[in-house]
Amino acid sequence: MPQEYAKALGAKLRAIRQQQGLSLHGVEQRSHGRWKAVVVGSYERGDRAVTVQRLFELADFYGVPVHELLPGGSQIGPASERPHRLVLDLERLAAIEIEEAALLGRFTATIQAQRGDYNGRVLTIREDDLRTLAVIYNEPASVLADRFVSWGVLRPDPGRTPQADQQSDNHSASVS
């Protein structure tokens, strides 16, 4: 499945490039060598993974929003099942010792810096952010969301906050 996603991403990259009337060598020339034809071609074929930073830089080069480079929203699931907001528990993320979580940590730090949001407890991300993370992890967004839930960093009930959880826990303790 991850290879299918990489190929779908590559097809989007190719379509954007072709819409702009550029060949692979044209990209290299227009970028003054910053984007090598062989590298862009390998992204388009799905032979080479593209980092989030490079994806954002490529979107900037093409002059399109990054979500235009990502495969369609069908990776998340039917619209009726999609949460309106995705809440990441940053305290839990900082506490877990899973090597793969470091990528998520860097991504959330970037979003916090862009927003100037340093509350350190939770971070609300968009579906486009989840699709971008799916590119980083090279797997479908729905699978990635399930993994984040299993780590305890993605709240399955987006209406819950750490404060609400703590109040609920305190209430349960006082009732027992």
Side-chain angles (χ1 to χ4, degrees):
M1 194 66 158
Q3 186 62 24
E4 291 172 16
Y5 190 85
K7 289 194 179 298
L9 173 64
K12 292 286 283 192
L13 292 171
R14 181 177 298 113
I16 295 291
R17 175 180 56 78
Q18 290 174 339
Q19 285 174 5
Q20 296 189 3
L22 292 170
S23 66
L24 289 171
H25 290 289
V27 168
E28 188 168 342
Q29 289 174 336
R30 185 170 143 199
S31 70
H32 305 288
R34 180 174 183 207
W35 293 101
K36 303 292 184 199
V38 68
V39 172
V40 175
S42 65
Y43 291 155
E44 290 181 2
R45 289 186 305 277
D47 294 339
R48 182 177 186 160
V50 60
T51 65
V52 172
Q53 180 176 344
R54 294 294 283 175
L55 190 64
F56 273 88
E57 290 171 1
L58 196 53
D60 185 55
F61 173 75
Y62 286 138
V64 300
V66 74
H67 71 269
E68 290 295 326
L69 299 180
L70 299 174
S74 63
Q75 296 290 332
I76 295 179
S80 61
E81 295 177 9
R82 292 183 193 167
H84 293 286
R85 54 186 206 146
L86 303 165
V87 180
L88 294 174
D89 183 333
L90 298 177
E91 292 174 331
R92 172 69 181 141
L93 178 59
I96 61 174
E97 295 183 16
I98 300 172
E99 186 177 327
E100 296 168 320
L103 293 170
L104 180 59
R106 287 194 300 272
F107 185 82
T108 57
T110 301
I111 292 175
Q112 286 179 292
Q114 289 172 345
R115 294 181 188 171
D117 177 6
Y118 298 102
N119 76 23
R121 292 199 268 229
V122 296
L123 180 70
T124 302
I125 63 170
R126 300 173 192 98
E127 290 177 19
D128 285 345
D129 296 326
L130 184 59
R131 285 193 292 271
T132 301
L133 284 164
V135 172
I136 295 171
Y137 283 92
N138 199 25
E139 64 186 35
S142 59
V143 172
L144 187 60
D146 289 343
R147 184 187 318 180
F148 291 167
V149 168
S150 74
W151 291 350
V153 299
L154 179 61
R155 298 185 166 275
D157 177 5
R160 303 286 295 186
T161 63
Q163 295 85 0
D165 290 346
Q166 188 173 15
Q167 289 170 355
S168 175
D169 292 344
N170 290 344
H171 178 67
S172 298
S174 64
V175 172
S176 329

Short mmCIF file of all heavy atoms in Angstrom, two decimals, residues 85 87 89 91 121-122 124 155 157-169:
data_model
loop_
_atom_site.label_atom_id
_atom_site.label_comp_id
_atom_site.label_asym_id
_atom_site.label_seq_id
_atom_site.Cartn_x
_atom_site.Cartn_y
_atom_site.Cartn_z
N ARG A 85 -11.77 18.00 13.24
CA ARG A 85 -10.47 18.44 13.69
C ARG A 85 -9.76 17.26 14.33
O ARG A 85 -10.39 16.36 14.90
CB ARG A 85 -10.57 19.61 14.65
CG ARG A 85 -11.46 19.35 15.81
CD ARG A 85 -11.67 20.56 16.68
NE ARG A 85 -11.99 20.03 18.00
CZ ARG A 85 -11.65 20.58 19.11
NH1 ARG A 85 -11.00 21.70 19.12
NH2 ARG A 85 -11.97 20.03 20.26
N VAL A 87 -6.95 16.26 17.08
CA VAL A 87 -6.26 16.83 18.23
C VAL A 87 -5.13 15.89 18.66
O VAL A 87 -5.37 14.74 19.01
CB VAL A 87 -7.24 17.05 19.40
CG1 VAL A 87 -6.50 17.64 20.60
CG2 VAL A 87 -8.38 17.97 18.97
N ASP A 89 -2.16 15.05 21.29
CA ASP A 89 -1.78 15.24 22.69
C ASP A 89 -0.25 15.39 22.72
O ASP A 89 0.49 14.41 22.63
CB ASP A 89 -2.24 14.02 23.50
CG ASP A 89 -1.96 14.16 24.98
OD1 ASP A 89 -1.01 14.88 25.36
OD2 ASP A 89 -2.69 13.52 25.76
N GLU A 91 1.69 16.40 25.17
CA GLU A 91 2.32 15.87 26.39
C GLU A 91 2.61 14.38 26.24
O GLU A 91 3.68 13.91 26.60
CB GLU A 91 1.43 16.14 27.61
CG GLU A 91 1.34 17.62 27.94
CD GLU A 91 0.35 17.93 29.05
OE1 GLU A 91 -0.65 17.19 29.21
OE2 GLU A 91 0.58 18.92 29.76
N ARG A 121 0.32 21.45 25.31
CA ARG A 121 -0.56 20.36 25.74
C ARG A 121 -1.21 19.65 24.57
O ARG A 121 -1.18 18.43 24.49
CB ARG A 121 -1.61 20.87 26.69
CG ARG A 121 -1.02 21.31 28.01
CD ARG A 121 -2.07 21.36 29.04
NE ARG A 121 -2.65 22.68 29.11
CZ ARG A 121 -2.83 23.35 30.21
NH1 ARG A 121 -2.48 22.82 31.35
NH2 ARG A 121 -3.36 24.54 30.20
N VAL A 122 -1.85 20.41 23.71
CA VAL A 122 -2.53 19.82 22.55
C VAL A 122 -2.25 20.68 21.33
O VAL A 122 -1.89 21.85 21.44
CB VAL A 122 -4.06 19.70 22.75
CG1 VAL A 122 -4.38 18.76 23.89
CG2 VAL A 122 -4.70 21.04 22.94
N THR A 124 -4.15 21.15 17.45
CA THR A 124 -5.16 20.76 16.48
C THR A 124 -4.54 20.85 15.10
O THR A 124 -3.94 21.87 14.75
CB THR A 124 -6.39 21.69 16.57
OG1 THR A 124 -6.90 21.63 17.90
CG2 THR A 124 -7.47 21.25 15.59
N ARG A 155 -6.17 11.93 19.74
CA ARG A 155 -7.37 11.69 20.54
C ARG A 155 -8.48 11.18 19.65
O ARG A 155 -8.87 11.88 18.72
CB ARG A 155 -7.78 12.95 21.27
CG ARG A 155 -6.71 13.40 22.22
CD ARG A 155 -7.15 14.58 23.04
NE ARG A 155 -6.22 14.75 24.14
CZ ARG A 155 -6.33 14.10 25.29
NH1 ARG A 155 -7.31 13.29 25.51
NH2 ARG A 155 -5.44 14.28 26.23
N ASP A 157 -11.53 10.97 20.36
CA ASP A 157 -12.68 11.85 20.55
C ASP A 157 -12.17 13.28 20.54
O ASP A 157 -11.68 13.77 21.55
CB ASP A 157 -13.37 11.54 21.88
CG ASP A 157 -14.54 12.46 22.16
OD1 ASP A 157 -14.89 13.29 21.29
OD2 ASP A 157 -15.11 12.35 23.25
N PRO A 158 -12.23 13.98 19.36
CA PRO A 158 -11.63 15.30 19.26
C PRO A 158 -12.24 16.33 20.19
O PRO A 158 -11.67 17.37 20.40
CB PRO A 158 -11.82 15.69 17.80
CG PRO A 158 -12.71 14.70 17.20
CD PRO A 158 -12.84 13.54 18.13
N GLY A 159 -13.39 16.06 20.76
CA GLY A 159 -13.99 17.01 21.69
C GLY A 159 -13.36 16.97 23.07
O GLY A 159 -13.56 17.86 23.88
N ARG A 160 -12.58 15.91 23.35
CA ARG A 160 -11.95 15.77 24.66
C ARG A 160 -10.66 16.57 24.71
O ARG A 160 -9.94 16.66 23.74
CB ARG A 160 -11.63 14.30 24.95
CG ARG A 160 -12.79 13.37 24.89
CD ARG A 160 -13.71 13.48 26.03
NE ARG A 160 -13.02 13.07 27.25
CZ ARG A 160 -13.64 12.97 28.41
NH1 ARG A 160 -14.91 13.23 28.51
NH2 ARG A 160 -12.98 12.62 29.49
N THR A 161 -10.37 17.12 25.84
CA THR A 161 -9.11 17.83 26.05
C THR A 161 -8.45 17.24 27.27
O THR A 161 -9.09 16.56 28.07
CB THR A 161 -9.36 19.34 26.31
OG1 THR A 161 -10.12 19.46 27.52
CG2 THR A 161 -10.10 19.99 25.15
N PRO A 162 -7.18 17.50 27.48
CA PRO A 162 -6.53 16.98 28.69
C PRO A 162 -7.23 17.49 29.95
O PRO A 162 -7.35 16.76 30.92
CB PRO A 162 -5.10 17.53 28.60
CG PRO A 162 -4.87 17.73 27.13
CD PRO A 162 -6.22 18.13 26.58
N GLN A 163 -7.72 18.74 29.95
CA GLN A 163 -8.42 19.27 31.11
C GLN A 163 -9.69 18.46 31.37
O GLN A 163 -10.00 18.12 32.51
CB GLN A 163 -8.77 20.75 30.92
CG GLN A 163 -7.57 21.66 30.84
CD GLN A 163 -6.99 21.77 29.43
OE1 GLN A 163 -7.48 21.16 28.48
NE2 GLN A 163 -5.94 22.53 29.29
N ALA A 164 -10.45 18.17 30.32
CA ALA A 164 -11.68 17.39 30.47
C ALA A 164 -11.36 15.99 30.98
O ALA A 164 -12.06 15.46 31.84
CB ALA A 164 -12.44 17.32 29.15
N ASP A 165 -10.30 15.40 30.47
CA ASP A 165 -9.89 14.07 30.93
C ASP A 165 -9.52 14.12 32.41
O ASP A 165 -9.88 13.24 33.19
CB ASP A 165 -8.71 13.55 30.12
CG ASP A 165 -9.08 13.19 28.69
OD1 ASP A 165 -10.29 13.08 28.38
OD2 ASP A 165 -8.15 13.02 27.89
N GLN A 166 -8.76 15.16 32.80
CA GLN A 166 -8.33 15.27 34.19
C GLN A 166 -9.54 15.47 35.11
O GLN A 166 -9.63 14.86 36.16
CB GLN A 166 -7.35 16.43 34.33
CG GLN A 166 -6.70 16.49 35.70
CD GLN A 166 -5.61 17.54 35.75
OE1 GLN A 166 -5.51 18.40 34.89
NE2 GLN A 166 -4.80 17.48 36.79
N GLN A 167 -10.48 16.33 34.68
CA GLN A 167 -11.68 16.54 35.48
C GLN A 167 -12.47 15.25 35.62
O GLN A 167 -12.95 14.92 36.70
CB GLN A 167 -12.55 17.64 34.86
CG GLN A 167 -11.96 19.01 34.99
CD GLN A 167 -12.71 20.05 34.17
OE1 GLN A 167 -13.64 19.72 33.43
NE2 GLN A 167 -12.29 21.30 34.30
N SER A 168 -12.57 14.50 34.54
CA SER A 168 -13.27 13.22 34.57
C SER A 168 -12.58 12.25 35.51
O SER A 168 -13.21 11.56 36.30
CB SER A 168 -13.34 12.64 33.15
OG SER A 168 -13.91 11.37 33.18
N ASP A 169 -11.22 12.20 35.45
CA ASP A 169 -10.46 11.32 36.31
C ASP A 169 -10.63 11.73 37.77
O ASP A 169 -10.78 10.88 38.65
CB ASP A 169 -8.97 11.33 35.94
CG ASP A 169 -8.70 10.70 34.60
OD1 ASP A 169 -9.58 9.99 34.07
OD2 ASP A 169 -7.58 10.92 34.07
#
